[in-house]
Every structure is written in structure tokens, then in C-alpha cells.
Amino acid sequence: DGGITQSPKYLFRKEGQNVTLSCEQNLNHDAMYWYRQDPGQGLRLIYYSQIVNDFQKGDIAEGYSVSREKKESFPLTVTSAQKNPTAFYLCASATGSYGYTFGSGTRLTVV
Amino acid sequence: GQQVMQIPQYQHVQEGEDFTTYCNSSTTLSNIQWYKQRPGGHPVFLIQLVKSGEVKKQKRLTFQFGEAKKNSSLHITATQTTDVGTYFCAGPLRQGGKLIFGQGTELSVKP
């Protein structure tokens, strides 16, 4: 079955650590996206990529970095510069102007 | 900048009552999309509306796109406990085409 896989499901980070969230899709979608969701809040765009080896900052890119070396993969690194990283992170992919397919998300907690 | 606003933020209904959420964009949209996120889950694409004045139905759900293509609504007839979750509308930005999401309407249904 085609889909989008995020791992891990839960992640704990110590202060000052960088952590990387994985996002893999086998839908052959060109575009991939990272969103952050805080409790009771909507979705805020962190980074997006519409083609391999190219990506753009979203509304809240500070403290995050991404890469897009392969069409299937769009990992997100939460750096120590991100002051409030505890949140639910959602990866999505899309083709054309049709609906996004979301992964099941990663819940990141700073300990 | 371009914004998509959704009301109400929360709606509590008795099972069997109807429910409506409204979405308004600051600019004309080429299309409007609706997503549902169950508690603890990830957003799932429900439908896309493209034409001015378009109305689409999915069982008890009715989706409408305004004549000016700046507003939309989702109406659920005779709610059930399975309808619980947060409903998001989303429209593409003029530049880049990436989606901008409304803040969502959280629906709770009392049996």
C-alpha cells in the first residue's frame, strides 16, 4: 500500500540536543511538507519542498533544517536553536493541486 | 498576508443535532480543501471544491464553496459520536500554491 511514514512516533529530546524526524513516502509525490501543531492549534508550516534538492522556508522555519536528497525522503532536524520544540510534527506529501496525504506524526517532548 | 479563518473554534453538540463550520479567506481561492483530524490522530483529506457555488455531499456531510470563492462551509446532519474531531479547511496560497490552513473547528458530540 502506498503511504507516508513518519518515525519515531514519540521522541524525547534533552536541552541542547539536535534531533531528526524521519518522513518517507512511496506515493511518488513531488511535494513534501513539514507542519507543526501545538495543542488546540492549527497547522503551521515549517518547510516545504516541491522538487528534489530544493526546499523553501515556511512561516516558522527558525530553529529547524531539512534536506531533500531523494524524492521519497524529507527529514526534519530540530536544532538546539529551536527554543520551544515540544509539539506534534506532521509530514505531508502531495501531487499537483490535490489534497495532502499526512503521516501519522511524531510527538516531540523536551525533557 | 493571505489568511484563512474558521469559526467556531469549538462546538459541542448532542448526538443527532446538526453541526456547521465556516471558513473565510481574505483572498479568492482556486480551490478549498477540507480535512478531519480525529483526537490523537493526523489530518485526513476529505474533499476538494473547485467551482464557484459548488456543493458536494458525502453521506451526512455537505460541503459548499461560495459564489465568490472566498468562503466555504461544512455541514453535518444528525451528528454521531464518530464525527468527533477537528475539521480544518485549507486553501492554496497565490504564490507557490502551498496550502494555508484555518485554525480548525473542534467538534465534540455528547451521546
Side-chain angles (χ1 to χ4, degrees):
Chain A
D1 284 340
I4 183 165
T5 302
Q6 288 187 245
S7 62
K9 193 173 178 71
Y10 298 94
L11 186 57
F12 298 90
R13 192 195 92 168
K14 292 183 180 179
E15 296 278 355
Q17 271 186 340
N18 292 353
V19 290
T20 297
L21 283 59
S22 170
C23 179
E24 303 277 334
Q25 55 103 356
N26 60 3
L27 298 166
N28 200 33
H29 287 172
D30 290 313
M32 297 187 75
Y33 307 84
W34 274 106
Y35 286 89
R36 170 180 172 141
Q37 187 175 39
D38 294 284
Q41 301 293 312
L43 304 172
R44 292 187 290 167
L45 183 64
I46 305 172
Y47 268 99
Y48 65 105
S49 167
Q50 294 179 317
I51 195 167
V52 175
N53 292 321
D54 187 47
F55 49 83
Q56 309 294 327
K57 291 183 179 180
D59 302 316
I60 56 166
E62 187 175 348
Y64 300 96
S65 66
V66 293
S67 63
R68 186 87 187 277
E69 296 175 2
K70 298 187 300 182
K71 188 175 186 177
E72 301 80 15
S73 179
F74 191 40
L76 173 74
T77 296
V78 184
T79 75
S80 57
Q82 171 50 237
K83 298 306 177 190
N84 186 22
T86 294
F88 187 39
Y89 290 88
L90 288 158
C91 179
S93 69
T95 186
S97 62
Y98 207 59
Y100 286 10
T101 300
F102 282 86
S104 56
T106 293
R107 295 189 185 277
L108 174 63
T109 304
V110 174
V111 296
Chain B
Q2 190 175 347
Q3 288 186 313
V4 173
M5 294 148 286
Q6 229 179 309
I7 56 169
Q9 189 173 0
Y10 303 97
Q11 186 78 59
H12 308 284
V13 300
Q14 193 76 34
E15 189 173 21
E17 291 181 339
D18 291 358
F19 158 78
T20 305
T21 174
Y22 300 91
C23 181
N24 290 286
S25 170
S26 57
T27 60
T28 301
L29 298 170
S30 59
N31 68 77
I32 190 90
Q33 300 178 16
W34 285 91
Y35 294 77
K36 177 183 178 180
Q37 184 176 21
R38 293 182 186 275
H42 58 278
V44 174
F45 173 73
L46 294 176
I47 206 163
Q48 178 178 265
L49 304 172
V50 178
K51 299 177 185 176
S52 170
E54 188 171 12
V55 178
K56 285 188 175 180
K57 293 191 176 185
Q58 288 181 349
K59 297 183 180 178
R60 294 177 295 103
L61 278 61
T62 301
F63 303 85
Q64 190 166 4
F65 201 10
E67 293 291 339
K69 300 183 77 172
K70 293 180 70 175
N71 57 71
S72 182
S73 64
L74 159 59
H75 179 82
I76 302 178
T77 303
T79 54
Q80 299 176 358
T81 54
T82 53
D83 296 324
V84 164
T86 300
Y87 293 84
F88 293 97
C89 63
L93 285 174
R94 283 180 170 174
Q95 283 189 321
K98 59 185 188 291
L99 286 181
I100 181 168
F101 284 80
Q103 303 94 318
T105 295
E106 184 179 338
L107 172 65
S108 64
V109 179
K110 188 174 182 180

